[in-house]
Amino acid sequence: MRTAALSSSLMLGAALLAGCTATAPSKVRVDMAESGLPNCQSFEWLPTPQQPASLAEQRVKSEVMAKLKEKGYAEATEKGDCRVTYVLDIHERPVNKPGVGVGVGGGSGGVGGGIGITLPIGKRAEQAGTFTIDIVDTAKNAQVWSGSLDASFLKAEPNDDEAREIVAKVLEKYPDRVPK
């Protein structure tokens, strides 16, 4: 009887704890022109006007062009069928938030439980923002596809690993040119 009560208490505690810590992963949001995607066979990079290429832009460009090549597209040396660019809107978001934890345990013939509360001490923050890749039809000079993702970063600009991860996640939603 005691074992059944302990088992039930542990399962209830685990369910409560899982409910408190679960977070939904950020999903890629895609928007596309009503006319559909153009017949893009080659892409060129659309640089930020009148500004030198930042380290973040260089990282993102490198990852975008590599990922598009993997999907079967060519990088244009002059004028591509489509142009690709990105927007990264980053802001600081506080990390420390109050939290509640629930625990259940047993030992030496008894069952016990507890509730804990955490309070933030100090001011920590992370860099969070929205990363967007836009595809522009060169012939129409119009945006035809956009994919965006909410993400967190270690600093104000994505490092190599972060750029690789967010570009891959967003372009996963862009159609392949070659069958897999």
Side-chain angles (χ1 to χ4, degrees), residues 48-160:
T48 308
Q50 300 179 9
Q51 292 181 6
S54 68
L55 294 173
E57 181 174 348
Q58 293 172 57
R59 289 179 186 122
V60 170
K61 175 186 177 185
S62 174
E63 293 300 326
V64 165
M65 299 315 268
K67 187 54 79 177
L68 287 172
K69 283 180 187 176
E70 283 178 27
K71 290 179 147 298
Y73 299 95
E75 184 173 356
T77 54
E78 289 188 24
K79 188 172 182 179
D81 301 321
C82 291
R83 290 184 229 133
V84 62
T85 189
Y86 84 105
V87 176
L88 180 58
D89 179 28
I90 292 185
H91 57 277
E92 211 170 75
R93 178 174 63 190
V95 173
N96 288 338
K97 298 177 187 172
V100 176
V102 178
V104 177
S108 209
V111 176
I115 297 176
I117 298 175
T118 60
L119 298 174
I121 298 175
K123 295 182 179 180
R124 289 188 337 169
E126 68 181 4
Q127 304 299 316
T130 303
F131 175 79
T132 305
I133 294 176
D134 294 317
I135 307 290
V136 176
D137 183 338
T138 304
K140 295 179 184 177
N141 196 28
Q143 181 180 4
V144 292
W145 188 89
S146 181
S148 61
L149 171 73
D150 295 328
S152 297
F153 304 96
L154 296 174
K155 296 187 178 183
E157 289 190 345
N159 62 33
D160 289 334

Side-chain angles (χ1 to χ4, degrees), residues 28 60 63-64 66-68 70-71 131 133 145 149 160-174 180:
V28 175
V60 170
E63 293 300 326
V64 165
K67 187 54 79 177
L68 287 172
E70 283 178 27
K71 290 179 147 298
F131 175 79
I133 294 176
W145 188 89
L149 171 73
D160 289 334
D161 292 334
E162 291 169 333
R164 187 175 304 106
E165 183 180 333
I166 58 176
V167 166
K169 201 166 190 178
V170 172
L171 286 181
E172 183 179 284
K173 300 293 183 179
Y174 193 75
K180 285 189 173 181

